[in-house]
């Protein structure tokens, strides 16, 4: 073998050795001691290697390094220093560590990044041990409203409901030490359930407003309380496939604001049944199986944030996952019912106050008369008809009354008065304006059978209510527009204001 051939052979041997050698191991530097380096190695191991000879490498905390696979000796810095690990949200900054949220769980990780604050996103190394890169806080997608002025007195006909809410939500906030003495923790969440348009959202805003007033002291008109309103279906639609992240971000945004100024934050989830349905019940899909645990983790993680209150609103409380309503989560269930006749009268009073009325009508008397009018049993909105048995019963106006409907009647009546004043200068809302408004509202209601809640069926039909409702949904029962029937009953229009 001549010299050239020997060189060729040596080169081939080198190449063979290279091809046979195992790949380098990559790792992330967690800590640099005087004698050793602590390194997290991909594959969930933390090792300590000698620091001798590493000075030249300019290794720092968080550096990506490569190691010799058998001895694990440091070879040098990796060319690829950007991490490819998970991106997580920072919950708490602790000296040189961070508490972060990953997949609904809290993790403590080391920190190698400067100027991290709560709510920032950071990327972790592949072993989830150290934060390597910071991504500044994204502007939240959630409308974080400064609370608007909604005093309790602007809500009518719900005296009992409001009393319970004040006891459950306000009292622990005002008398913190007394509640602590009895081992009672401030409420973390309440469920408001009841038919649509009866004031659940309004109550949510009123809680935010009144708590911020309390937090800001008696003189403050309103300290910077916040209200985040999200609709359940919106979480599913807008964040398809990423609804857990949406829930996480909502709570991160709330924690941020609460931490910034210590003021109360109300997270209001309307139509909560759309996202928090019972898991594995056949009525849920996989989506709920991941959203519910995320929600539970967020609720459980709120310990120590007594100024963040979750308010769920629904008219299908029966389908909510029981774990959501368990002790220490959304554990106060409060019904927001349709107004009684007296309640309706109070709501009319609220919306008519200050409006010009014709013939100087007395506000209290007029409100009470209008309430009596809409509670008239002759005002049938739906007949519930079984093709074999005939009419089973009727839904009257009074079965469908809501605060929203009363406000709409007042708005319609005001519009009539405005048009008349513009036409001929006559000022004030007349009795006829109210008659027309009530009829218009009746016609419009008749088109919305979905406004009937399960409770409404029970109220009208007692124990058979649910059965009839199901039959109706399956098309066995026929719902007819009641106006047709009214016409044949009384042969014409009825002056509803008398
Ligand atoms: P949904 O279930 O459809 O979301 P909701 O129960 O949340 O309805 P709100 O949105 O609070 O009902 O009510 C709609 C509007 O109706 C309110 O903004 C308010 O103007 C009026 N309203 C409802 N209930 C009351 C009430 N009890 N007192 C005064 N106004 C009311």
């Amino acid at each position: 073998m001549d010299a050239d051939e020997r060189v060729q052979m040596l080169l081939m041997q080198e190449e063979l050795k290279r091809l046979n050698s195992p790949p380098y191991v990559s790792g992330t530097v967690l800590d640099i001691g005087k004698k050793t380096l602590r390194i997290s190695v991909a594959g969930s191991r933390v090792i300590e290697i000698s620091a001798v000879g590493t000075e030249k490498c300019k290794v720092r905390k968080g550096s990506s390094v490569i190691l010799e696979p058998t001895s694990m000796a440091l070879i040098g810095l990796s060319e690829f220093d950007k991490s490819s690990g998970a991106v997580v949200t920072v919950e708490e900054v602790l000296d040189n560590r961070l508490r972060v949220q990953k997949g609904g769980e809290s993790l403590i990780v080391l920190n190698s990044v400067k100027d991290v604050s709560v709510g920032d996103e950071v990327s972790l190394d592949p072993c989830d041990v150290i934060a390597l890169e910071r991504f500044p806080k994204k502007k939240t997608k959630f409308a974080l409203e400064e609370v608007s002025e909604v005093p309790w007195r602007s809500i009518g006909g719900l005296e009992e409901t409001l009393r319970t809410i004040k006891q459950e939500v306000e009292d622990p906030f005002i008398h913190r030490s007394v509640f602590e003495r009895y081992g009672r923790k401030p409420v973390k969440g309440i469920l408001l359930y009841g038919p649509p348009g009866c004031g659940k959202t309004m109550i949510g805003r009123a809680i935010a407003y009144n708590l911020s007033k309390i937090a800001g002291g008696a003189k403050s008109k309103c300290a910077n309380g916040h209200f985040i309103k999200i609709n359940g279906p919106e979480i599913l639609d807008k964040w398809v496939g990423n609804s857990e992240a949406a829930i996480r971000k909502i709570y991160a945004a709330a924690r941020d604001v609460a931490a910034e100024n210590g003021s109360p934050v109300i997270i209001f989830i309307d139509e909560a049944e759309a996202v928090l349905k019972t898991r594995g019940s056949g009525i849920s899909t996989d989506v709920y199986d991941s959203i519910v645990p995320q929600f539970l983790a967020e609720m459980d993680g709120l310990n120590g944030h007594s100024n963040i209150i979750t308010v769920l609103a629904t008219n299908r409380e029966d389908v909510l996952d029981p774990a959501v309503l368990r002790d220490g989560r959304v554990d106060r269930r409060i019904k927001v019912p349709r107004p009684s006749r007296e309640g309706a009268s109070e709501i009319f009073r609220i919306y008519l106050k200050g409006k010009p009325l014709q013939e100087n009508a007395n506000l209290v008397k007029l409100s009470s008369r209008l309430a009596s009018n809409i509670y008239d049993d002759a005002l049938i909105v739906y007949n519930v008809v079984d093709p074999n048995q005939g009419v089973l019963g009727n839904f009257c106006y009074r079965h469908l009354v809501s605060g929203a409907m009363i406000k709409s009647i007042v708005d319609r009546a005001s519009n009539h008065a405005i048009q008349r004043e513009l036409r001929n200068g006559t000022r004030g809302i007349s009795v006829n304006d109210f008659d027309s408004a009530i009829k218009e509202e009746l016609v419009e209601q008749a088109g919305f059978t979905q406004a009937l809640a399960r409770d409404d069926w029970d109220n009208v039909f007692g124990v058979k209510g649910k059965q009839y409702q199901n039959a109706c949904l399956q098309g066995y029962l026929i719902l007819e527009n009641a106006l047709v029937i009214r016409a044949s009953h009384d042969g014409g229009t009825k002056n509803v204001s008398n």
Side-chain angles (χ1 to χ4, degrees), residues 154-158 194-203 268 270 315 347 350-351 402-404 407:
S154 64
I155 304 175
L158 291 171
C198 289
K200 297 184 290 295
T201 312
M202 217 181 164
I203 291 175
F268 186 90
D270 208 0
N315 48 35
I347 302 174
I350 290 172
Y351 288 112
S402 65
K407 180 172 187 297

Side-chain angles (χ1 to χ4, degrees), residues 158-168:
L158 291 171
E159 209 177 314
E160 186 59 41
T161 306
L162 298 191
R163 190 177 313 122
T164 314
I165 291 175
K166 287 183 205 166
Q167 270 173 12
E168 296 288 357

Side-chain angles (χ1 to χ4, degrees), residues 445-461:
Q445 267 300 321
F448 287 100
T449 48
Q450 64 269 38
L452 293 171
R454 279 158 61 93
D455 259 14
D456 299 331
W457 286 87
D458 292 349
N459 286 341
V460 177
F461 297 106

